[in-house]
Structure formats: C-alpha cells, structure tokens
C-alpha cells in the first residue's frame, strides 16, 4: 500500500510515546499486544463470536491465505487458519463477521490506486475449535458500479448480513453496498450509497447494528447507521499508532479497539460515542466529540496530521539539544 507522510510521522510518535497495552479483562476491551512474529502487517481485526476474548487478524498484501486467532489475555496466537479454495490472495485488507457466524475476509486493496477490474471477498465459517487447521472458503468476485477503486474497509451488518465496503481516498471515501445475497457463480456489483468524510483504513458495525465506525491514520468518525442513511454522531478517540490499519468493537459494543501494522504491534482501546464510557483510549489522537464541531471529517484528519507533525518535530529538536549537551 502507498506510504504517506501522515503515518510516517505517526510511526515516529508511536515509537517515542506509545506504550504497549496490557490486557486487563476477559474481552480484550483494555487492549493487548500481538506477540506472533509472523504478524507484521496486521491490517484487519474482528472479535470472535465463538471464542470470548479472541480476535481474528491477518497480514496485509500477499502474505498468503492465513488468518490468526489471537488471545487478548496473552497476546499469543492460539490458532492459524489456512483458507482453501480462494486462489492466491492479492491484497487482504479487512475482516468482519456476519450474523451467520461466518468470517468475511476482504481482499479489496489495490496497490495500483484503483486499477484492478475486480477484487475478492472470502467467506468461511468461524472454526468451533481453536487449532491450526485448513478451512474451505467461498470466493466472491466483486466489482464497483462506478469503476475500480482502492479500499481497506469491509463490514458485514450484524442484523441483515449485508456486506459493505468503504473506499479509500485522500478526499474522502464512498460507502458501497453489496447485493442482498453474494453469489459465488457471478460478479457481485457493489453500488455507492453514501459518502464518508475520511481517508478510511478500516470500519466496523456495532454489535447491535445501529452504529458504523470508520478510522483513518489520525482520526475516526462514528455514524448513526439509520438504515444506511448515515448521520454523523461524533469524532472517535483514535490513538496515535505507527500505521493505524484496523478497528473492531468489543463483543458487547462498549469499546472500540484499534490495531496497527508492525511487529509486536499493540491493539489499543477507545470510547464509543453514545456508549457507557467503560473504556478509555490508551493514547488519544483526537477527542471524542458530539458531531459537527471543529475537527470533523477530512479537515480533522489534516489537523491531527499537522499536530502530529509539530509534536514529532519538537521531539526531534529536543533530542538534538540533548545530544549537543552531551558532546
């Protein structure tokens, strides 16, 4: 995927300021660290429905047809699933879970900036037993009604089972709705049904299906789902991370978890607008707001980038002064 100044600055800040999150409860709501050395580009995250405290993730790009079940108590991988029947994954960017208990994996990234004529979604039942195994998946061909594009966010609505994708663009993305039933025998055309005012790297539905959350590198937005007629609820407290790529709700919907690429990356917790405030972010990149105030949308993302850049320069300047004093 394309690298940008925004998350390079984020990487600097994360290395200087961020501390690994420590699991404090059974559902992972306080965050955890991914210990598996194979997981260096965690790009999607979803809470297991069959195994409390377990979260599914995967690497970015063409790592292979692998999914990893991570125990939030220890941060260790407790099962590796190899998907069969899917060919060679190209740019796996997202994972979600449907009301049928199936995992949906989005091979929807486009490193060429939106030129591939089709992308893929894989569906497989969540394993009942946590062990290394091969599971056969169904592969769906996907095209967009308005032409090829890059995307990193795939969400399955927890009540209807309908699949949605949010495209990735610096000027804001589009919300795309898939067919009521995906077909393995033909092309599934996703149609644009709304706009998302953010450079989106992942998204997730709340467990009750009433809220859609999306994140970028430095910010995030919560929307009231409202049957697909998005209504902005507020900004999300997205932590500063090296390369913020993933997010999911905890199973009870009381907190949002944010993941990042990189070896030994931390998954950090944040509040849910309109929630009970049970959990707090490990490092706020933006304050949770009430909707239409300053800092919403793309403007907020760019403001956060500017703040992060200034902070990074201050850190570098301070280090240089210390080094000079030591000479």
């Amino acid at each position: 995927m394309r690298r940008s100044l925004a998350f390079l600055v984020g990487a600097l800040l994360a290395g200087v300021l961020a501390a690994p999150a420590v699991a404090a409860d059974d559902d992972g709501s306080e965050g955890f660290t991914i210990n598996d050395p194979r997981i260096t580009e965690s790009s999607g995250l979803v809470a297991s429905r069959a195994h409390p405290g377990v979260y599914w993730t995967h690497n970015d790009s063409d790592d292979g047809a692998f999914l990893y079940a991570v125990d939030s108590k220890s941060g260790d991988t407790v099962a590796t699933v190899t998907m069969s029947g899917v060919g060679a994954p190209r740019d796996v960017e997202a994972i979600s879970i449907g009301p049928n208990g199936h995992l949906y994996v989005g091979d929807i990234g486009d490193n060429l900036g939106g030129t591939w004529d089709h992308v893929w979604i894989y569906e497989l039942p969540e394993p009942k037993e946590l062990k290394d195994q091969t599971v056969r998946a169904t592969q769906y061909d996907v095209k967009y009604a308005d032409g090829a594009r890059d995307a990193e966010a795939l969400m399955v609505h927890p009540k209807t089972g309908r699949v949605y994708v949010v495209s990735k663009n610096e000027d804001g993305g589009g919300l795309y709705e898939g067919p009521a039933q995906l077909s393995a025998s033909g092309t599934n055309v996703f149609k644009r049904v709304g706009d998302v005012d953010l450079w989106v790297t992942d998204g997730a539905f709340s467990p009750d299906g009433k809220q859609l959350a999306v994140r970028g590198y430095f910010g995030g937005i919560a929307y009231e789902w409202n049957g697909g007629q998005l209504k902005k609820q507020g900004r999300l407290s997205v932590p500063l991370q090296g390369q913020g790529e993933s997010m999911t709700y905890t199973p009870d919907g009381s907190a949002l978890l944010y993941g990042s690429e990189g070896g030994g990356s931390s998954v950090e917790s944040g509040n849910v607008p309109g929630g009970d405030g049970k959990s707090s972010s490990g490092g706020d990149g933006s304050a949770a707001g009430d909707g239409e105030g300053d800092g919403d949308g793309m403007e907020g993302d760019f403001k956060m980038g500017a703040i992060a850049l200034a902070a990074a320069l201050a850190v570098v300047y301070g280090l240089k002064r210390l080094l000079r004093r030591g000479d």
Side-chain angles (χ1 to χ4, degrees), residues 13-29:
L13 287 174
V16 174
L17 302 176
V22 178
D25 52 8
D26 291 339
D27 63 0
S29 62

Side-chain angles (χ1 to χ4, degrees), residues 192-264:
R192 187 166 182 149
V193 294
D195 299 324
V196 176
D197 189 24
L198 194 73
W199 188 10
V200 176
T201 60
D202 204 5
F205 282 113
S206 60
D208 62 9
K210 295 180 179 180
Q211 188 176 72
L212 172 67
V214 292
R215 74 161 297 172
Y217 295 120
F218 289 107
I221 304 173
Y223 291 97
E224 181 181 338
W225 179 240
N226 193 29
Q229 302 298 313
L230 300 181
K231 180 180 179 181
K232 191 177 293 184
Q233 290 183 305
R235 294 285 300 176
L236 297 176
S237 295
V238 178
L240 290 173
Q241 296 176 307
Q243 188 176 328
E245 290 281 335
S246 63
M247 74 182 310
T248 189
Y249 286 83
T250 54
D252 65 0
S254 66
L256 281 161
L257 295 177
Y258 300 93
S260 175
E261 292 193 3

Side-chain angles (χ1 to χ4, degrees), residues 62-106:
D62 56 355
D63 171 62
F66 307 119
L67 304 177
Y68 304 97
V70 179
D71 180 3
S72 62
K73 290 183 180 179
S74 64
D76 295 334
T77 297
V78 291
T80 301
V81 169
T82 303
M83 295 182 289
S84 65
V86 301
R90 187 165 53 190
D91 193 355
V92 179
E93 292 286 357
I95 187 168
S96 186
I97 196 164
N100 57 359
H102 287 196
L103 295 168
Y104 291 76
V105 182

Side-chain angles (χ1 to χ4, degrees), residues 78-275:
V78 291
T80 301
V81 169
T82 303
M83 295 182 289
S84 65
V86 301
R90 187 165 53 190
D91 193 355
V92 179
E93 292 286 357
I95 187 168
S96 186
I97 196 164
N100 57 359
H102 287 196
L103 295 168
Y104 291 76
V105 182
D107 192 354
I108 55 175
D110 189 339
N111 288 324
L112 300 179
T115 58
W116 288 328
D117 64 354
H118 70 281
V119 291
W120 300 301
I121 293 172
Y122 313 129
E123 179 186 355
L124 66 156
E126 183 179 11
K128 295 180 180 179
E129 185 179 355
L130 289 175
K131 64 178 183 179
D132 293 351
Q133 58 192 289
T134 297
V135 179
R136 185 165 187 83
T138 301
Q139 177 171 303
Y140 302 110
D141 283 344
V142 170
K143 290 187 176 182
Y144 301 99
D146 53 359
R149 56 206 60 249
D150 188 18
E152 296 190 7
L154 176 145
M155 304 81 57
V156 182
H157 194 274
K159 302 301 182 183
T160 68
R162 200 151 194 165
V163 182
Y164 295 84
V165 169
V166 178
S167 60
K168 182 185 181 186
N169 189 283
E170 292 92 334
D171 297 322
L175 174 68
Y176 288 83
E177 181 182 71
Q181 295 288 336
L182 296 178
S183 171
S185 60
T187 299
N188 297 274
V189 179
F190 278 57
K191 299 178 181 179
R192 187 166 182 149
V193 294
D195 299 324
V196 176
D197 189 24
L198 194 73
W199 188 10
V200 176
T201 60
D202 204 5
F205 282 113
S206 60
D208 62 9
K210 295 180 179 180
Q211 188 176 72
L212 172 67
V214 292
R215 74 161 297 172
Y217 295 120
F218 289 107
I221 304 173
Y223 291 97
E224 181 181 338
W225 179 240
N226 193 29
Q229 302 298 313
L230 300 181
K231 180 180 179 181
K232 191 177 293 184
Q233 290 183 305
R235 294 285 300 176
L236 297 176
S237 295
V238 178
L240 290 173
Q241 296 176 307
Q243 188 176 328
E245 290 281 335
S246 63
M247 74 182 310
T248 189
Y249 286 83
T250 54
D252 65 0
S254 66
L256 281 161
L257 295 177
Y258 300 93
S260 175
E261 292 193 3
S265 62
S266 62
V267 174
E268 301 186 43
S269 178
N271 289 332
V272 176

